[in-house]
Amino acid sequence: NAGVTQTPKFQVLKTGQSMTLQCAQDMNHEYMSWYRQDPGMGLRLIHYSVGAGITDQGEVPNGYNVSRSTTEDFPLRLLSAAPSQTSVYFCASSRLAGGPGLYEQYFGPGTRLTVT
Amino acid sequence: AQTVTQSQPEMSVQEAETVTLSCTYDTSESDYYLFWYKQPPSRQMILVIRQEAYKQQNATENRFSVNFQKAAKSFSLKISDSQLGDAAMYFCAYTSGTYKYIFGTGTRLKVLA
């Protein structure tokens, strides 16, 4: 099992450029999420998905799009990059595990994005 | 809305000593889960320990243990016999039984040789 994989590991964009951060999981988890990590802010939820074809907004969704056409893949799209989107991005997948309503999250290795 | 607060941006501990990292949270739920995650320089998020709110007994995992005070909404992490490999960012996290987690801002732990 590769677990949760993310590509690329590092990316530099110019303001206004678009790009897609890739995320894939091979654990057949229904739930997947995207977080961004900024200094002093912890991890904040951008978008999440409860299954193929179903996505919803998290705490900080502006400037990002997602889609979930398969269980395995959950790409994050930046339509027009801005310096405020400079951050480390984590993808996570979740499974129901053990206790009632306990969802265990598995994180990818992260993507460090710099927008100049 | 639920919140998670880590009031210590940075902590230091001497190798082999014990250190406690603090976390408080706010929720109106009665059933929930709390976690401590470790993030070393590699950026990988590693689950250290988990506490179920319906369990009174504090969770332990080897050198890591928690002090869970439900009434005070406090969830601290104790690291005993600290090792150089424990140096990392530590995040406290909460979930009320959904796939959505709320994270604190993190505490950077330095281990001094």
Side-chain angles (χ1 to χ4, degrees):
Chain A
N1 271 2
V4 180
T5 58
Q6 291 182 238
T7 55
K9 286 190 168 47
F10 302 93
Q11 183 70 49
V12 179
L13 288 178
K14 293 190 189 309
T15 297
Q17 286 185 317
S18 63
M19 82 158 294
T20 300
L21 306 186
Q22 301 291 345
C23 174
Q25 54 98 2
D26 61 359
M27 297 174 283
N28 203 30
H29 290 172
E30 284 184 80
Y31 308 102
M32 297 186 74
S33 309
W34 275 102
Y35 293 88
R36 60 177 288 174
Q37 181 183 11
D38 301 294
M41 302 286 286
L43 276 75
R44 293 180 293 167
L45 184 64
I46 304 172
H47 285 285
Y48 63 95
S49 170
V50 301
I54 307 169
T55 64
D56 206 345
Q57 297 181 351
E59 182 186 352
V60 288
N62 292 344
Y64 308 95
N65 273 0
V66 292
S67 60
R68 184 102 178 267
S69 56
T70 66
T71 300
E72 294 78 18
D73 300 301
F74 190 42
L76 178 73
R77 278 183 285 277
L78 283 72
L79 301 177
S80 178
S84 60
Q85 294 178 304
T86 294
S87 189
V88 178
Y89 291 85
F90 286 96
C91 179
S93 71
S94 308
R95 68 180 181 106
L96 197 55
L102 171 61
Y103 289 86
E104 208 162 70
Q105 290 216 353
Y106 296 76
F107 287 88
T111 294
R112 180 176 291 280
L113 175 68
T114 302
V115 183
T116 61
Chain B
Q2 296 97 346
T3 59
V4 175
T5 301
Q6 293 180 249
S7 58
Q8 306 154 316
E10 190 170 294
M11 294 280 286
S12 296
V13 63
Q14 207 70 33
E15 201 175 1
E17 298 293 307
T18 296
V19 65
T20 299
L21 309 184
S22 301
C23 173
T24 58
Y25 59 95
D26 190 22
T27 183
S28 57
E29 304 284 343
S30 56
D31 291 325
Y32 48 87
Y33 299 90
L34 297 162
F35 309 84
W36 279 99
Y37 280 86
K38 171 184 178 181
Q39 186 182 45
S42 66
R43 286 205 310 254
Q44 185 68 50
M45 294 289 285
I46 302 165
L47 178 63
V48 174
I49 199 163
R50 178 183 79 216
Q51 175 75 46
E52 293 87 341
Y54 58 83
K55 289 187 178 178
Q56 290 189 333
Q57 188 172 5
N58 288 328
T60 62
E61 288 286 344
N62 301 315
R63 296 183 296 107
F64 299 87
S65 61
V66 299
N67 184 3
F68 173 50
Q69 302 287 330
K70 191 172 184 179
K73 295 180 182 172
S74 169
F75 181 60
S76 59
L77 175 70
K78 185 170 87 170
I79 306 174
S80 305
D81 186 25
S82 297
Q83 300 174 0
L84 294 176
D86 295 333
M89 281 289 286
Y90 287 82
F91 291 97
C92 178
Y94 160 99
T95 182
S96 60
T98 76
Y99 38 83
K100 291 191 281 186
Y101 283 31
I102 299 168
F103 287 84
T105 52
T107 296
R108 181 172 301 283
L109 178 66
K110 295 184 176 181
V111 181
L112 309 172

